[in-house]
Amino acid sequence: MKTIYLVFNNREKSEVSESLLEDLKLVYGGLVRIKLCFLSEIVRGSIDDGDVFVVLYEDRVHAMREYISSLDRVIAMTRTIRREFLPEIFVIPDGTEVLVVNDTDESTLQTINNLYALGLNNLNLIPLLSTSDAADFENIRYSITPDETELVPDYIEHIINIGNRCISVETIMDITNMLGLNTPQVTRNIIRYSEIAAEINEGRNRAYARERLKSEIFNSVFSDAKRAIFITDNDNKVVYVNRRAKERFFPYEGRRRDATWLFNGEYEKMLEPYSFKNALFTFDGVNYIVEKRVVKIVDQVMGSYYLFDDERDIKNSEQDLSNLLMKRGLVAKYTFNQIIGESPIMDSTLELAKKVALTDFTVMIYGESGTGKELLAQSMHNYSKRSDQPFVAINCAALPETLLESELFGYEKGAFTGALGRGKLGLFEQAGRGTVFLDEIGDMPLNLQARLLRVLQEKQIMRLGSDKVIDVDVRIIAATNKDLAEQVKTGAFREDLYYRLCNIPITLPPLKDRGRDALLLMEYMLGEKYHELSSQELDRIINYAWPGNVRELKNAADYFATLGKLPETVSNGAAAEGTPEKPDKKGTEKDIHDVHREVLGIISENTLPSSGIGRLSILAELRRRNVYISDDRLRHVLKELETSGEITVGRGRCGCRIAENEEI
């Protein structure tokens, strides 16, 4: 390990020596030995093991000849102030006289030089030297001192203490070069240190950073690239091989110390045709895509470089792209657990959707507007084996034909006016091995229907403006609120595409056919406010036709949460088709007896060893049997049946059950 000696005459200014020692540790700590050295305490030759000797002032370089064998290792440091003190100095008004105070004349003059080098030429900096008469400066109101406030005259009103000066970045770079320690770690440390120390020689510091940046770029782009890279001259002799190429092509017994063998002999013949295009190259059982490009200086060809892409790396890159696209929002948010509904028709629909989700079949979801077709599609994606891949959705009715085509299939640069200069990936490519959801597919133009058919049949796409066929592995889920069979008859939809899409059709029922689900959804959307709904309002919710389905129900929930009442369309709207209105007359004693009997019968039919039936399910079943009572009245009926010992009422899945040893 190399050694730096920080040299002082004596220990009188221990706080200064300790501060400068910490500066060096910030850059070289753990990489070199750093020692303080006091000339008053050493003898000749005792420190000659040092690699660099750093002294405070230029005139002390020659004095070091008494202690070391060569002065070539001595550096006279320059010091600067710390950036944190600059704002306080910069607010001093232009043209102001400022008294600069330090412990020695040499330090005082050096401090002034530092300040002027930092661009403070707008101030008149005056040194307080040992030969000065302090009375001559009584009109001065500002003073700058590097932690020597006790030496500042009493008449100074504004004292700016800039603390102990630090080693300049320029000196740090001189030490680094002398040590031959231009490593990435030291470079990072110097860049961090430059944020602490104000720059004196800014041009040189920036030039250093720029050269180190070039080196880092070369290392990151070539040396540490994931691709295997060979660079050859005009005679096909290898002049550079990066780390990945060495790992891939020289893995055994330290085989061949250079890459010449790869370009002279059998492999040279295989690589020879690769110029400005991709080609397949196989080595040790691994396939590579190889691209050759020439290196030119002006018009002179100086050599070539070869880029080898391992098939495994290509696949991993595709996975990385999929993960990035998912982070950008191409992800399905909903799962089956978030679909609210307990009606038999909804249960059977979800059961079918879960079975189909586990396959790779194309799915067509039919449903009226607002029934939740995309929610179901997202749930199927998250339930499938493609759940870790992107979910890409597009509304086929929302975009004009030309834009829809470019969004789906992508395009090459210059494919059409207004195209991005670098081209663009289409949604089928962005989806990777995930799912593409085509909403409102019944509105897709016939021209695009033909292209979509190719995707379904051949699993291939072609970007606009390209003649290259790209393989894709996506699962397609489509949705529509139209009758595609009727559209096929009228010629508005391709018959061959229709049968390809309708591999397994799933129909989402309208809300009016889902019975009590309307109440369950309203309870979920309103939360605690659900209990503010009156029995009459609950009846209206269950009886209303909901032509806008769940979307309209959500609007009604928002309306109630804001205004405390249901929208007039719901309050005064028509009952669900085929559902008679609730009778206005009040129930008689005979009615009450009939209701008790109906409720008890429903509970008996649904009593199982571990579960029963919930209140809302009972209410829906009563309506199916043309018995119309409010939710409040059902609560009273259940309470009476529980009090009489005929049923038990539990929470959650337990629901209402026939009491043990009871018969109906």
Side-chain angles (χ1 to χ4, degrees), residues 134-401:
D136 294 338
F137 309 120
E138 290 183 352
N139 293 328
I140 296 177
R141 295 292 173 262
Y142 285 85
S143 177
I144 295 175
T145 179
D147 215 26
E148 302 287 355
T149 54
E150 71 279 2
L151 301 179
V152 178
D154 295 337
Y155 53 76
I156 297 295
E157 297 177 2
H158 306 286
I159 300 175
I160 299 174
N161 185 359
I162 59 176
N164 289 315
R165 288 177 295 158
C166 58
I167 301 174
S168 70
V169 177
E170 184 177 20
T171 297
I172 292 292
M173 289 190 294
D174 288 338
I175 295 171
T176 300
N177 291 332
M178 188 171 288
L179 290 171
L181 206 61
N182 288 295
T183 66
Q185 182 176 348
V186 171
T187 298
R188 287 192 292 269
N189 292 345
I190 292 176
I191 291 173
R192 282 196 290 266
Y193 183 77
S194 66
E195 296 174 358
I196 298 172
E199 296 183 19
I200 296 175
N201 191 339
E202 185 174 1
R204 182 186 174 191
N205 295 349
R206 287 187 176 177
Y208 171 82
R210 190 163 51 246
E211 290 305 312
R212 297 304 301 166
L213 178 61
K214 290 179 182 177
S215 176
E216 290 296 318
I217 289 173
F218 182 85
N219 286 333
S220 61
V221 173
F222 288 99
S223 180
D224 297 332
K226 291 184 177 180
R227 289 169 141 183
I229 301 175
F230 292 87
I231 301 178
T232 66
D233 60 19
N234 276 336
D235 296 325
N236 235 20
K237 292 181 179 179
V238 177
V239 295
Y240 176 79
V241 181
N242 76 338
R243 178 178 55 81
R244 181 56 61 92
K246 293 175 183 177
E247 292 174 354
R248 294 295 168 86
F249 296 102
F250 318 119
Y252 314 113
E253 59 181 50
R255 178 175 69 187
R256 301 172 183 84
R257 300 186 61 180
D258 60 52
T260 303
W261 62 273
L262 189 64
F263 296 88
N264 293 299
E266 59 174 314
Y267 290 113
E268 179 187 5
K269 295 177 182 178
M270 297 177 67
L271 293 169
E272 190 173 341
Y274 304 150
S275 182
F276 302 101
K277 65 180 180 180
N278 294 331
L280 185 66
F281 171 74
T282 303
F283 178 81
D284 277 359
V286 178
N287 293 323
Y288 296 87
I289 300 296
V290 186
E291 183 177 1
K292 176 186 176 182
R293 298 180 183 177
V294 298
V295 179
K296 288 184 177 182
I297 298 179
V298 190
D299 293 328
Q300 183 72 32
V301 176
M302 304 300 295
S304 304
Y305 65 94
Y306 297 81
L307 307 174
F308 291 74
D309 283 310
D310 186 331
E311 61 182 344
R312 295 165 296 187
D313 292 335
I314 294 173
K315 291 178 180 178
N316 290 337
S317 296
E318 290 176 355
Q319 182 61 49
D320 292 342
L321 176 61
S322 295
N323 293 336
L324 290 172
L325 290 171
M326 290 178 70
K327 289 180 181 179
R328 281 177 47 195
L330 299 180
V331 60
K333 298 182 293 183
Y334 299 104
T335 66
F336 283 116
N337 293 332
Q338 294 170 278
I339 297 179
I340 298 169
E342 294 181 358
S343 59
I345 189 172
M346 199 62 185
D347 284 344
S348 62
T349 300
L350 296 181
E351 183 180 355
L352 172 61
K354 288 180 180 179
K355 289 180 180 179
V356 177
L358 297 176
T359 73
D360 262 342
F361 294 137
T362 301
V363 179
M364 171 61 74
I365 302 175
Y366 290 98
E368 295 178 4
S369 179
T371 50
K373 297 185 288 296
E374 182 169 355
L375 188 149
L376 182 65
Q378 291 192 22
S379 301
M380 293 178 68
H381 172 79
N382 281 329
Y383 198 75
S384 74
K385 62 184 179 182
R386 299 175 183 263
S387 59
D388 60 342
Q389 296 291 319
F391 176 88
V392 181
I394 189 168
N395 190 314
C396 299
L399 299 173
E401 179 177 348

Side-chain angles (χ1 to χ4, degrees), residues 49-194:
D49 62 327
D51 296 282
V52 176
F53 298 87
V54 184
V55 298
L56 250 64
Y57 302 109
E58 189 73 37
D59 61 4
R60 295 182 186 176
V61 174
H62 188 66
M64 289 296 295
R65 73 185 187 281
E66 298 181 16
Y67 305 96
I68 60 176
S69 58
S70 173
L71 296 181
D72 292 341
R73 292 172 287 164
V74 182
I75 293 176
M77 76 166 69
T78 56
R79 285 186 284 171
T80 184
I81 69 173
R82 301 180 187 276
R83 286 185 183 275
E84 61 183 290
F85 300 111
L86 288 178
E88 191 175 0
I89 297 175
F90 285 152
V91 298
I92 300 176
D94 290 350
T96 301
E97 292 185 337
V98 179
L99 193 65
V100 179
V101 180
N102 210 335
D103 57 338
T104 67
D105 290 354
E106 190 173 16
S107 295
T108 301
L109 294 173
Q110 193 180 73
T111 301
I112 289 178
N113 289 335
N114 288 166
L115 293 171
Y116 278 135
L118 291 172
L120 293 171
N121 298 307
N122 60 318
L123 304 178
N124 183 13
L125 303 177
I126 300 173
L128 180 62
L129 303 176
S130 57
T131 57
S132 302
D133 185 351
D136 294 338
F137 309 120
E138 290 183 352
N139 293 328
I140 296 177
R141 295 292 173 262
Y142 285 85
S143 177
I144 295 175
T145 179
D147 215 26
E148 302 287 355
T149 54
E150 71 279 2
L151 301 179
V152 178
D154 295 337
Y155 53 76
I156 297 295
E157 297 177 2
H158 306 286
I159 300 175
I160 299 174
N161 185 359
I162 59 176
N164 289 315
R165 288 177 295 158
C166 58
I167 301 174
S168 70
V169 177
E170 184 177 20
T171 297
I172 292 292
M173 289 190 294
D174 288 338
I175 295 171
T176 300
N177 291 332
M178 188 171 288
L179 290 171
L181 206 61
N182 288 295
T183 66
Q185 182 176 348
V186 171
T187 298
R188 287 192 292 269
N189 292 345
I190 292 176
I191 291 173
R192 282 196 290 266
Y193 183 77
S194 66

Side-chain angles (χ1 to χ4, degrees), residues 466-501:
S466 172
D467 58 358
K468 181 181 177 182
V469 174
I470 301 171
D471 292 329
V472 293
D473 177 20
V474 297
R475 198 248 185 99
I476 292 178
I477 299 178
T480 185
N481 58 5
K482 296 185 176 182
D483 186 344
L484 290 188
E486 186 61 32
Q487 284 191 282
V488 169
K489 292 179 182 179
T490 62
F493 202 84
R494 291 179 63 104
E495 184 177 14
D496 47 5
L497 179 59
Y498 170 75
Y499 288 112
R500 280 285 181 180
L501 288 171

